[in-house]
Amino acid sequence: MENHHHMHDMHPPQRHHAHHFQSREILQHMDESGSHHWTATKTLDSTPTNSIAPSAMAPKLMKMIRVEAPLLREIMAEFLGTFILVLFGDASVAQSKLSNEANGDFFSINWGWAIGVMMGVLVAGGVSGAHLNPAVTLAMACAGRLAIIKVFFYMLAQYLGAFAAAASVLGVYSDAIQYASNGTLTMDDEANDPGLAGIFATYPAPWLSVAGGLGDQILGTMLLLLCICAITDKKNTQIPSALVPMYVGFTILGIGVCFGANCGYALNPARDLSPRLISLIAGWEQSFSWDNYNWFWIPIVGPHIGAILGVFIYIAFVEAHWPEDGDELVPVNVPRGNFNKDRGEKIQNMDMESFTAST
């Protein structure tokens, strides 16, 4: 559409009403240099914008609720971070399934989980390191990066956070679930159709065997931990702390895009077990008995094995070989442009003199 303006439309008639100037009167005057200034003279009913004193309640409230115990702070951060992770993730699945993919698909679900991880790590990273995953916690403890005494408390916080998140998704989408299911929460094991229970927990594809599912979870979680170790290793590429959540989120996105077809890339026992329990409580009776109880334990056992493997593979291949003083950096050769006289074209040389000679 085109908009046609006339000159007289640019300056519509001005209508002034008395109530426009109840709070202040605008006066224009000119100083000695002839420049224009606008000043306001306050009337009796005006209130200065800076007259409100800062509330003293906020600092007092902060002091009252402040937690001094470091371990309790970490537990709270793990709970909240895991809550955010699962809330984003399960809600992305719910929106897709309940709209028959009109408002989401496989890729939007991948993005939902990736953003959930980003935000969860952003919330908890500075306090607890943002494990948000019992498999990560166990692997870090095995590698000596977390006190053994903290393992139970971290895991408890993660499972409870995931439980609260799944319950929240169930509550928010309860009307949609009732509408889509006609009030009957069904699962069809024979047809390999978990129905709307798939909003909360992962289920295997028709072709997936027990061994295949276990291998999928081990490999996926191994890749996750290997990448997390690289992202957080300050002796490697020295990624700024502020960018760590983004890199971890993109790792989850990559794993989902590449390994999501078999069984939904759980990679996280808390992400799968707690929402599965919520689905059982809600009425999906086969949540744990699916495939004759041959599935529910795989997203629990597989990630723990894979996480430990991922950490120690990174240590064995990369981390154990840094200079002991820790001050030396990996030499990085910056590409520079070179002109190949024989071919009459510009090429990129990674500081290898033999490259131009060979070309």
Side-chain angles (χ1 to χ4, degrees), residues 171-232:
V172 168
Y173 279 107
S174 60
D175 291 340
I177 290 171
Q178 291 297 315
Y179 177 82
S181 64
N182 293 320
T184 305
L185 305 181
T186 59
M187 302 176 69
D188 191 345
D189 200 341
E190 295 292 331
N192 199 64
D193 180 14
L196 297 180
I199 291 172
F200 301 97
T202 63
Y203 292 87
W207 62 79
L208 194 66
S209 64
V210 171
L214 190 61
D216 176 278
Q217 289 299 287
I218 291 174
L219 179 65
T221 316
M222 180 198 75
L223 180 59
L224 172 63
L225 267 292
L226 198 157
C227 293
I228 287 175
C229 288
I231 292 166
T232 57

